[in-house]
């Protein structure tokens, strides 16, 4: 590549790459917004069938998500504790689960 062509390539590449990435991200955002609208419509339809208002369904969904986050945080803490205990005892976490009667699917 000659000097002039190289300069043109260098000058265009970052801008073109940024423009391409911007278009990709905008398309991803549009797709996510469409998915959110679809899920909200499904939630509202399910709420209507159950006799809940859209607002009641939204609040129930939010409360459920909050409980799931709390459950996952507690489960993560438990796994960390089992890992530390296993390390202290020179065992595997799987052995600790068995010793304490915890199913690996829990």
């Amino acid at each position: 590549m000659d000097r002039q062509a190289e300069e043109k390539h260098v000058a265009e590449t970052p801008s073109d790459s940024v423009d391409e990435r911007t278009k990709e991200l905008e398309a991803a955002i549009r797709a996510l917004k469409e998915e959110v609208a679809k899920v909200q419509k499904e939630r509202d339809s399910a709420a209507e069938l159950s006799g809940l208002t859209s607002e009641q369904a939204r609040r129930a969904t939010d409360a459920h998500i909050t409980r799931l986050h709390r459950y996952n945080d507690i489960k993560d803490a438990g796994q960390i504790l089992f890992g530390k205990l296993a390390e202290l005892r020179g065992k595997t976490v799987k052995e600790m689960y068995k010793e304490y009667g915890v199913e690996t699917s829990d």
Side-chain angles (χ1 to χ4, degrees), residues 68-80:
L68 285 173
H69 283 296
R70 186 162 187 241
Y71 166 81
N72 285 332
D73 289 345
I74 292 168
K75 185 176 178 184
D76 290 347
Q79 289 177 332
I80 290 168

Side-chain angles (χ1 to χ4, degrees), residues 25-93:
L25 291 172
E26 288 171 345
I29 289 169
R30 278 192 304 276
L32 289 171
K33 285 181 178 179
E34 289 171 8
E35 181 69 18
V36 166
K38 178 184 169 196
V39 170
Q40 287 173 336
K41 195 178 251 186
E42 290 172 0
R43 179 199 63 205
D44 292 345
S45 294
E48 188 177 314
L49 290 173
S50 70
L52 297 173
T53 66
S54 293
E55 181 61 24
Q56 288 170 323
R58 187 194 59 74
R59 278 188 269 145
T61 301
D62 290 347
H64 183 70
I65 290 169
T66 298
R67 287 190 298 270
L68 285 173
H69 283 296
R70 186 162 187 241
Y71 166 81
N72 285 332
D73 289 345
I74 292 168
K75 185 176 178 184
D76 290 347
Q79 289 177 332
I80 290 168
L81 291 173
F82 269 110
K84 294 293 183 183
L85 189 58
E87 186 180 326
L88 289 170
R89 294 191 178 174
K91 295 183 177 186
T92 65
V93 172

